[in-house]
Amino acid sequence: MKVLNLPQLAPIRPRLESALRAWAEKETSEWDALVEGGVPNTLPGGDDLWDHMPALDSKAVARSSPIFQEHLGKPLDVKLIRPGGYLGVDSMIEDLVPKMLEAA
Amino acid sequence: MHLDNSHPIVGELQRLLPEGVVAGGSFSSWLPSPGSLPRTERAHRLAQVQKTATEQCLRDLLDAAGLGNGPVPPREPDGQRGWPPGYVGSVSHKNTLVLATLAKASNLASIGIDVERIEPSDERLGHILTPEERRPRGFSQLQSLALTFSAKEAVFKAQFPTTGRTLSFEDVFIHWNDPNGSSIRGVARCGSAHPLEVRCTLSAKWVVCVALENAFDFRTSSS
């Protein structure tokens, strides 16, 4: 596995954060569009619209692992994910990126 | 306000765990229409209502266990719930669904539960399997990844109170038995810790898993 030194990591951080924001935006934009499209709260099949909201819980955050792999050369260490997940991408980045950079 | 315990996954969890009492259900009726909230407030509102629903779920759980006069198990600094003395328990939630279980420590040494909704993007969870680990047979690729994810999350929760270890997916190896309909069982090994029994079931788009260690096994292997 490629080990990165500090000067190499400095320019990676904004690119990683930007990629994580783009990933989170993609995760949520479809649901936001559905909500704003005026669909009823109960979807065909009986699902509630809220149940389709892509929360940044531990499973969703685990799916972002390939982004860390691409930018840091190592997958996301799920031990670092805050139990219960995050309220938004800003708190996810604030918590996870420094930990992953330190681990890289 | 009451949780809607007619959600099918509540009954599925009780079937998986006859040793414990189960409470929970959907709180979707407690929420306003997401369209009535600005985008930036939706996640916050869901989290707020989820916290209230979790407290209600815990009160229901204590009632079901005959401990209705006790305080709601608080969150400890390490994130664990402070269960009543002599009991082990676990909580899980996913969007508008919350579940909790409680069992006597004389029956179960530890317990962890996890509920997940199967989503198309779960196909990107392939990295949670160790290289030598097989997926559970008899399920689609998506279902098998969601099952493995949920089972490992349940294992993380079950082992922490006894080992104090925070594990990663590669630290847990699950050996799955053959499925029985939409249910499947297995054994989870995580390093030198005691193996845990894993029980999972699928219901429509939902997965619920339990990881547990019998008190008898725990006492035998600890002595």
Side-chain angles (χ1 to χ4, degrees), chain A residues 27-83:
Chain A
E27 288 262 316
T28 57
S29 59
E30 217 170 280
W31 184 74
D32 282 328
L34 200 65
V35 169
E36 282 143 29
V39 298
N41 279 2
T42 305
L43 300 172
D47 280 357
D48 191 276
L49 197 47
W50 280 106
D51 280 324
H52 288 257
M53 191 183 111
L56 287 176
D57 58 15
S58 52
K59 180 152 72 86
V61 177
R63 288 197 301 259
S64 72
S65 181
I67 299 168
F68 288 92
Q69 174 79 55
E70 183 188 335
H71 290 268
L72 298 177
K74 65 184 297 183
L76 173 63
D77 182 350
V78 295
K79 281 189 271 202
L80 303 178
I81 300 173
R82 187 185 292 159

Side-chain angles (χ1 to χ4, degrees), chain A residues 23 27 31-33 35-36 41 47-53 55 57-59 62-63 65 77-79 87, chain B residues 31-35 39 42-43 94-96 116-117 119 121-122 124 127 149 153 166-169 205:
Chain A
W23 165 79
E27 288 262 316
W31 184 74
D32 282 328
V35 169
E36 282 143 29
N41 279 2
D47 280 357
D48 191 276
L49 197 47
W50 280 106
D51 280 324
H52 288 257
M53 191 183 111
D57 58 15
S58 52
K59 180 152 72 86
R63 288 197 301 259
S65 181
D77 182 350
V78 295
K79 281 189 271 202
L87 263 183
Chain B
L31 285 155
S33 164
R39 275 189 185 199
R42 291 169 190 160
K94 185 76 182 177
N95 286 38
T96 67
E116 300 292 343
R117 206 186 138 79
E119 297 156 307
S121 48
D122 291 344
R124 296 200 295 270
H127 62 280
F149 179 90
E153 287 278 319
T166 306
L167 300 178
S168 199
F169 290 114
K205 296 168 192 163

Side-chain angles (χ1 to χ4, degrees), chain B residues 21 27 47-48 54 61 65 74 76 108 123 125 145 151-152 159 183 185 189 203:
Chain B
V21 291
F27 57 90
Q48 251 180 353
T54 302
L61 185 70
E76 306 290 353
L108 298 180
E123 66 187 19
L125 288 171
L145 285 172
K152 290 193 178 189
Q159 62 82 41
S183 298
R185 292 185 177 211
R189 296 185 186 280
S203 177

Side-chain angles (χ1 to χ4, degrees), chain B residues 159-179:
Chain B
Q159 62 82 41
F160 186 84
T162 51
T163 68
R165 287 178 64 206
T166 306
L167 300 178
S168 199
F169 290 114
E170 66 262 29
D171 297 324
V172 181
F173 178 96
I174 301 180
H175 177 82
W176 295 101
N177 298 341
D178 287 331

